[in-house]
Amino acid sequence: MSGTTNPNGWQVAGIPVLVKRSDRRRTVALQVRPGQVTLYAPARVPDTKLLEILNVRRDWVAGHLAQYARTVPPTPPRPATASPCRSWATP
């Protein structure tokens, strides 16, 4: 049983928490990236235990998200139209 879900709409600081379960995983881990929180867990760990772990680490996760908001610049938008590339081999 492996899969990715967002049970019960869990969120930290307004960011949805993605839960990735694996039959082979033996530990629970939290990964925080700009605008993304992922909780990795063994398939056998119940949602109630995961929510307990998330609540214990909620301030830590929110602090990392706030730090990313201060330090990581937003990705600039891509131009609507791209100019065609010229080949050096074309005369």
Side-chain angles (χ1 to χ4, degrees):
M1 177 178 145
S2 297
T4 303
T5 62
N6 184 352
N8 306 318
W10 295 349
Q11 291 188 359
V12 175
I15 305 294
V17 177
L18 190 64
V19 178
K20 291 190 174 186
R21 294 179 178 269
S22 170
D23 290 330
R24 296 181 64 178
R25 187 159 191 85
R26 299 183 68 136
T27 60
V28 175
L30 267 169
Q31 182 182 53
V32 181
R33 293 190 172 183
Q36 177 182 347
V37 178
T38 307
L39 180 64
Y40 296 93
R44 64 191 173 278
V45 177
D47 285 351
T48 54
K49 185 65 176 174
L50 295 181
L51 186 57
E52 179 184 326
I53 292 168
L54 186 60
N55 284 331
V56 167
R57 302 299 291 179
R58 188 170 295 274
D59 291 338
W60 178 83
V61 171
H64 276 74
L65 289 170
Q67 183 179 359
Y68 280 127
R70 287 190 306 269
T71 60
V72 176
T75 305
R78 295 180 60 133
T81 58
S83 60
C85 294
R86 296 188 73 194
S87 171
W88 289 104
T90 307

